[in-house]
Amino acid sequence: MNTPHTISRRHALAAGAGVLGAGLLGSLLGSGTARADTSGDDNYWHLRVDLAGYRAKTARVGDVNFSYREGPANGPALLLLHAQQMDWFSYSRVLPALASSFHVFDVDYQGHGTTTTSPTYPMNANRIGADLAAFTESVVRGPAYVTGNSSGGLLTAWLAANRPDLVRAAILEDPPLFASEYPRIMKTIAYRDFASSAKAVAQGVDDFLLFWIADNEEFINENIGEGAGAVLTAAIKAKRLLRPGQPVEMAIVPDDTVRLFLRGMDHQYDPRFGAAFFDGSWNTGFDHATTLARISAPTMLMHANFSWVDGDILYGAMDQDDADLAMSYLTHGTYNRVDASHVTHLDKPEEFVSTVTGFFTQP
């Protein structure tokens, strides 16, 4: 049984471990403190989102208990679908600006955030898309403008193709079209990440974030700091003691995308989602070419930067051939090549807001 003394001691130890972890991570990163500007201050963005009028809500739709953030009704409905292994908060940098023109619904789709499903819920595009359509119909009360990033972009395409009555227009933000289908997926950097999800499912892992850090040493070394994995693990454990039940937000990690990627995996993320990409079952009955050809609504394809690793491994969602092929299937398609990383709304938030507002509000 915890007494006030033991609780205080636990928090003191956690705080000390957190400071030590932050200091060591800071040394690995070349700085002992987080960035001074507000771009990487997650507390600042939580406050900005709250002040913009967003509220946390839940809605039971069929077998899914959806968690989402809803903004004030300042315009037409806009549905946001985040990237895989992230959650609603990845849009925090654009939510305040979008609230001035739209009625925003920023949803944690199945397997992510605090949205919950049964342990046997089918993680495939058709089932997830159908339940998102039901959410759009009953909660958003569509039709709506829809934009999704990465896997969220694939789900946006599903909605536009299969429920055209619910989608006024769509923006596919750097979705892995064709590149996440077999056999292409085996030559992508994402395939390594999906392998971690498959291993976690096979081993019955309870703590996916710490498992993922240990299983992806190369990513940690390249994106956070050489040898940062052990220190990051200790700092995360300390954060959890200080803020039980809350997803970790490691301010010392300067890159917004990497930091919010870690946050997403510490939330409710279900590795069965990634494992379904690894074994191909996510795309069962969801052919990308057929889906794109069925979209009748105005659709923008945002194509972010990509490169090649080891000569033939795609680092990014799509190469130019993939993007060109996607455009050839879109009846009312607009191509937008952006100089940004995969999660464009985090890397170039002002450009993203301008693009979304301009495309969705054009006459």
Side-chain angles (χ1 to χ4, degrees):
M1 178 176 178
N2 286 328
T3 65
H5 175 75
T6 59
I7 293 173
S8 174
R9 176 175 171 78
R10 182 191 71 183
H11 281 213
L13 289 172
V19 170
L20 177 61
L24 288 173
L25 268 179
S27 299
L28 290 168
L29 293 166
S31 170
T33 59
R35 292 185 301 191
D37 65 272
T38 56
S39 62
D41 186 343
D42 294 322
N43 289 329
Y44 168 82
W45 287 106
H46 279 292
L47 179 60
R48 284 286 307 276
V49 169
D50 289 344
L51 291 175
Y54 287 89
R55 297 294 178 262
K57 297 185 177 183
T58 60
R60 184 78 183 184
V61 180
D63 295 331
V64 183
N65 190 36
F66 281 101
S67 173
Y68 63 102
R69 292 323 191 261
E70 181 178 350
N74 290 335
L78 171 62
L79 178 65
L80 305 178
L81 301 174
H82 55 76
Q84 184 174 169
Q85 289 167 264
M86 301 187 104
D87 68 352
W88 74 270
F89 191 63
S90 79
Y91 285 106
S92 56
R93 279 60 173 163
V94 300
L95 288 177
L98 290 175
S100 64
S101 302
F102 299 98
H103 185 181
V104 179
F105 294 82
D106 183 6
V107 63
D108 290 336
Y109 57 77
Q110 296 90 310
H112 296 77
T114 51
T115 287
T116 57
T117 63
S118 72
T120 58
Y121 183 87
M123 290 297 176
N124 60 66
N126 283 338
R127 179 58 185 273
I128 294 169
D131 285 335
L132 279 172
F135 174 86
T136 306
E137 198 166 26
S138 62
V139 178
V140 180
R141 300 185 186 278
Y145 295 111
V146 185
T147 178
N149 178 221
S150 195
S151 298
L154 296 179
L155 292 168
T156 299
W158 190 99
L159 286 170
N162 293 281
R163 290 300 304 270
D165 58 313
L166 296 176
V167 180
R168 290 183 172 184
I171 295 179
L172 313 179
E173 184 191 349
D174 207 36
L177 290 165
F178 310 114
S180 59
E181 293 180 307
Y182 269 92
R184 280 288 312 289
I185 192 172
M186 299 176 71
K187 289 291 186 178
T188 67
I189 197 71
Y191 189 67
R192 302 177 185 179
D193 182 53
F194 300 146
S196 291
S197 292
K199 283 191 283 186
V201 171
Q203 296 175 25
V205 170
D206 290 327
D207 193 328
F208 181 71
L209 175 59
L210 297 189
F211 173 85
W212 187 91
I213 290 172
D215 201 46
N216 288 271
E217 183 179 0
E218 182 179 353
F219 178 92
I220 298 296
N221 290 343
E222 291 180 358
N223 291 277
I224 299 179
E226 191 71 29
V231 181
L232 183 62
T233 294
I236 287 169
K237 290 179 178 179
K239 278 273 191 178
R240 288 172 171 174
L241 285 174
L242 291 171
R243 299 180 62 204
Q246 298 296 315
V248 295
E249 293 175 351
M250 304 300 296
I252 195 63
V253 178
D255 183 273
D256 282 350
T257 300
V258 174
R259 189 175 62 259
L260 297 190
F261 185 56
L262 296 174
R263 170 197 155 93
M265 286 189 287
D266 193 47
H267 227 162
Q268 190 262 334
Y269 179 70
D270 187 340
R272 292 188 306 122
F273 191 98
F277 275 88
F278 185 75
D279 66 20
S281 60
W282 200 90
N283 284 310
T284 300
F286 176 62
D287 178 76
H288 294 186
T290 302
T291 297
L292 292 171
R294 292 177 59 191
I295 297 175
S296 57
T299 301
M300 174 182 285
L301 178 64
M302 294 183 70
H303 186 197
N305 295 332
F306 64 92
S307 59
W308 301 96
V309 180
D310 299 330
D312 64 345
I313 303 297
L314 177 63
Y315 193 101
M318 299 178 290
D319 66 12
Q320 195 59 53
D321 289 341
D322 295 324
D324 292 343
L325 182 59
M327 289 303 300
S328 74
Y329 286 108
L330 289 171
T331 305
H332 302 290
T334 300
Y335 179 69
N336 182 11
R337 179 71 172 87
V338 292
D339 182 16
S341 59
H342 179 50
V343 188
T344 304
H345 57 268
L346 271 174
D347 189 27
K348 299 288 179 66
E350 292 181 0
E351 181 177 344
F352 179 82
V353 170
S354 177
T355 299
V356 168
T357 303
F359 186 70
F360 286 153
T361 62
Q362 63 185 350

